[in-house]
Structures are given as C-alpha cells and as structure tokens.
Amino acid sequence: QVQLVESGGGLVQAGGSLRLSCAASGRSFSDRAMGWFRQSPGKEREFVAVISRSGAFTSYTDSVKGRFTISRDNAQNTVFLHMNSLKPEDTAVYYCAAGAYTTSRSLAAYDSWGQGTQVTVSS
C-alpha cells in the first residue's frame, strides 16, 4: 500500500486549465502503475487516465483524450493530471490511485486511493 494525497483542484471557467498533483509516500511508487479517476454527483467513479511504471505508456478515456495529459515524476513520487480545455462535464471529484501490477481502466486493479480533490468547471 501507498499513501496518496491529491491537490490542485478548484474552480475554473470552461475552456480553462488546471493541473492536479498526487503525492505518494514510500519507495514503491515507481513499481506501480498510476491512474486518475473521477466521480460526479449521481454517477459511479469512472476511469480518466493511467500511466505505466516507467511513464512510457499512457491511456485516456475518450471524453478527455486530447485535452488531458497524465505524467509522473518517479524521483519525486508524484503523478500529475494536466487538464486543458475544461468543460462543465469535467466537474467531479478527482482521485488518484496506485495499481499493483498492470495498467488498467478497472477500479479493481488499484489497491491504494487518495481522498480526492474537487474540480468544478463553470459555464
């Protein structure tokens, strides 16, 4: 297990940008795939993006492709989500998660979760 703390959420106008950060504890960060998920009111938590252990592989849900970028700095035990061209539909609590073995879009593949950070996009 790894402790994760998200930050960087806030209120932004449609079309604006925001960068989320997720700081991880311990030395196991580089051994884990890292994902970002989000949850809107009345909806289930959904996959947003994932990055492999080395950072060489990334994948995104279709609705954010071309607008969001996931990255990681293993030396600093931090994963980022750069969000551009934000839309009101992006409003949600964003969570980062650490995976045990492989990159995945499934919540079940992740064994450590942060507490989330609120992103609100106004129209």
Side-chain angles (χ1 to χ4, degrees), residues 13-110:
Q13 291 182 242
S17 299
L18 211 57
R19 186 187 76 165
L20 306 183
S21 299
C22 176
S25 65
R27 296 180 292 175
S28 62
F29 178 78
S30 61
D31 295 328
R32 296 172 176 265
M34 297 294 298
W36 284 97
F37 293 77
R38 66 187 181 186
Q39 187 166 20
S40 302
K43 291 190 173 185
E44 296 182 349
R45 194 168 299 184
E46 67 170 344
F47 168 81
V48 176
V50 65
I51 188 167
S52 63
R53 299 173 183 179
S54 68
F57 173 83
T58 59
S59 184
Y60 304 88
T61 191
D62 287 343
S63 64
V64 308
K65 198 170 298 181
R67 299 188 298 119
F68 290 11
T69 302
I70 187 171
S71 62
R72 68 191 297 164
D73 185 340
N74 287 347
Q76 293 191 280
N77 286 0
T78 305
V79 63
F80 304 94
L81 185 67
H82 303 261
M83 304 183 294
N84 299 317
S85 301
L86 283 162
K87 305 175 180 180
E89 306 94 272
D90 297 318
T91 295
V93 177
Y94 284 71
Y95 301 87
C96 72
Y101 301 107
T102 62
T103 57
S104 177
R105 296 185 171 216
S106 174
L107 276 69
Y110 299 85

